[in-house]
Amino acid sequence: MLISSLSIILIISTFKFISSSPAIKDRNRFITNDWAFNGLIPYTIDLSSVTGDNLRYINEAIQQINDKTAVVLYWRTTELTYLEIVNKDGRCYAPEIGVTPNKANIVQIDVENCAIQPEQRTAMALKAILSALGLGPTQNREDRDKYVAINFDKMDQSSIDKYKIADVNEYDDCLSYDYLSVMHDNRFKDYDPKQAESGCNTATNPDLCPVTITAKDPEYQKKIGFATELSKKDIQCINGLYSRCRVAFYSEDNFEGTKYGPFGNTDSAQTEFWKRYQESDLEALGLYGKEINSMEIEVEPYTNCSVAFGMDFNSIATIGDNSKNSQSKSFRFTRSELTNLGFTDDKINLLQVNEISPCEYNLNGRIKLRGNGNYKTNSFKTIGDGTTFEKIDWIEIRLINK
């Protein structure tokens, strides 16, 4: 079947394995593979070094990502670009933030050494994997000084460089500051043991330990770095980063000031290729009621994006048409351009992001699948006539250049 210069490949898998080798395409600093357009990410685990409880916590982290986000981590077969999870040096981190193409991207995880408290060990595995997917340390954000104080005088001097504010080329800040993110370090991280009082133990006697990170909102002082699961903003950051349509808003004209985004068109259910953000969603994600003066829509190849926002879903709609291009493209709207489109308010209470793809496929003549992407098992229960397929884990539709 041909659509313009494209064809559709439909893969129906009864196992969570996809055997095709993805082509590499330069998307941005963090996601550089065709599989990333669809949120399908291959991985392996070095079972000679990752064993016992460490393996269990890693599997729990992978399951949480698969259950709660639009990303699907699946076992690698022959893919050239993938995550390789190993236990090395007793650490929990990814040496590189984001994925580098045509190589094994190492993720080092030893949760029992990284987290004293068992309830935090899944979160430590999540932190390392999300770093490999493109999220950076929360306390290194460009705006971190508004939210936390880094007490360098309380730190082990060998660790100070780890807390420098991230360069824009390392990773982008996602949404607003999130004290509850699994990517946030705790208040004792990298403290100088020489300054600790006798009996210091971050699990049992934390008040005797030097504080290296102080939350400027006291409510979160004892919460930072102790997340046990993905926060709402963690989920939205991953979903936005791996959407084919990504929308960002700016507090100032000409794409300056505070950036709010990315807001994508995907969610964990993958039942539709649009995402509607209600007032409660935008409030939790830090956009509700914020003053907006410019907007950017990033659109993947062979895709149209429609964005509706304002005080109601019908107030304004814009289109980013990239359906005939083989490279991603950005569409930018200044304050005056937004006004010309009909956005007369300066605040957003509602938002909807739609992907309009040239692809569709009718499965058994009953269930209509649209767009570039994958449909998880539970999504079959809510698509079309409600038919379920017990032996199918997902269906994937891909666009291939001809």
Side-chain angles (χ1 to χ4, degrees), residues 52-183:
D53 284 344
N54 193 30
L55 178 60
R56 176 169 64 86
Y57 288 118
I58 290 170
N59 282 332
E60 287 178 1
I62 291 171
Q63 189 63 50
Q64 192 173 145
I65 291 171
N66 285 350
D67 287 346
K68 294 187 176 183
T69 79
V71 164
V72 175
L73 295 167
Y74 68 94
W75 194 262
R76 172 188 180 252
T77 53
T78 60
E79 292 84 353
L80 301 179
T81 305
Y82 59 97
L83 308 183
E84 182 177 352
I85 299 173
V86 302
N87 181 353
K88 182 180 180 182
D89 300 332
R91 304 178 68 182
C92 297
Y93 85 119
E96 298 179 6
I97 296 177
V99 175
T100 301
N102 289 322
K103 60 175 282 190
N105 291 261
I106 302 298
V107 185
Q108 297 181 202
I109 303 178
D110 181 1
V111 293
E112 293 176 294
N113 189 62
C114 299
I116 297 175
Q117 298 169 316
E119 61 268 25
Q120 281 194 279
R121 291 174 180 171
T122 299
M124 293 304 298
L126 282 168
K127 183 176 182 179
I129 296 170
L130 292 187
S131 183
L133 297 183
L135 300 190
T138 304
Q139 68 279 350
N140 288 18
R141 288 168 57 106
E142 185 179 3
D143 61 352
R144 66 106 181 271
D145 291 337
K146 297 178 182 179
Y147 300 93
V148 296
I150 306 298
N151 306 316
F152 292 105
D153 59 322
K154 302 293 185 180
M155 285 185 176
D156 186 317
Q157 295 301 297
S158 65
S159 300
I160 286 179
D161 286 347
K162 291 164 51 178
Y163 292 87
K164 290 181 178 179
I165 291 176
D167 183 89
V168 68
N169 291 318
E170 294 180 69
Y171 62 90
D172 283 336
D173 293 346
C174 181
L175 301 173
S176 57
Y177 199 91
D178 186 8
Y179 287 115
L180 302 179
S181 172
V182 297
M183 303 305 295

Side-chain angles (χ1 to χ4, degrees), residues 188-353:
F188 311 113
K189 183 72 172 178
D190 295 316
Y191 72 81
D192 181 359
K194 296 178 182 178
Q195 300 187 49
E197 296 183 37
S198 177
C200 162
N201 184 299
T202 58
T204 59
N205 292 305
D207 292 339
L208 301 178
C209 303
V211 174
T212 56
I213 304 177
T214 302
K216 294 190 175 181
D217 184 340
E219 177 186 349
Y220 294 100
Q221 179 61 15
K222 294 185 178 181
K223 297 179 180 179
I224 56 174
F226 288 97
T228 58
E229 61 183 5
L230 296 171
S231 71
K232 290 182 178 180
K233 290 181 183 178
D234 289 333
I235 294 169
Q236 175 56 39
C237 284
I238 288 297
N239 287 354
L241 195 59
Y242 285 84
S243 287
R244 295 185 67 81
C245 303
R246 298 179 299 282
V247 182
F249 299 95
Y250 297 84
S251 62
E252 305 295 336
D253 201 358
N254 298 318
F255 321 102
E256 297 179 351
T258 302
K259 178 182 178 180
Y260 304 99
F263 294 91
N265 66 283
T266 58
D267 61 22
S268 58
Q270 286 283 30
T271 58
E272 300 286 351
F273 283 86
W274 56 270
K275 172 70 174 177
R276 176 170 285 187
Y277 301 87
Q278 305 284 354
E279 291 182 5
S280 59
D281 299 320
L282 296 181
E283 186 171 10
L285 298 173
L287 178 62
Y288 180 78
K290 294 293 192 290
E291 184 175 346
I292 299 303
N293 283 293
S294 51
M295 178 182 72
E296 181 177 23
I297 308 174
E298 291 184 279
V299 186
E300 289 306 326
Y302 308 116
T303 303
N304 284 357
C305 293
S306 168
V307 181
F309 61 94
M311 302 303 291
D312 59 69
F313 288 121
N314 297 318
S315 59
I316 180 172
T318 62
I319 299 291
D321 185 355
N322 198 35
S323 59
K324 297 181 180 179
N325 295 322
S326 61
Q327 301 294 322
S328 59
K329 184 177 180 179
S330 292
F331 298 83
R332 291 185 146 198
F333 301 86
T334 63
R335 173 73 257 188
S336 61
E337 289 170 327
L338 289 175
T339 300
N340 291 337
L341 287 170
F343 181 53
T344 55
D345 301 306
D346 61 358
K347 296 180 180 179
I348 294 177
N349 291 341
L350 299 168
L351 170 66
Q352 182 167 315
V353 184

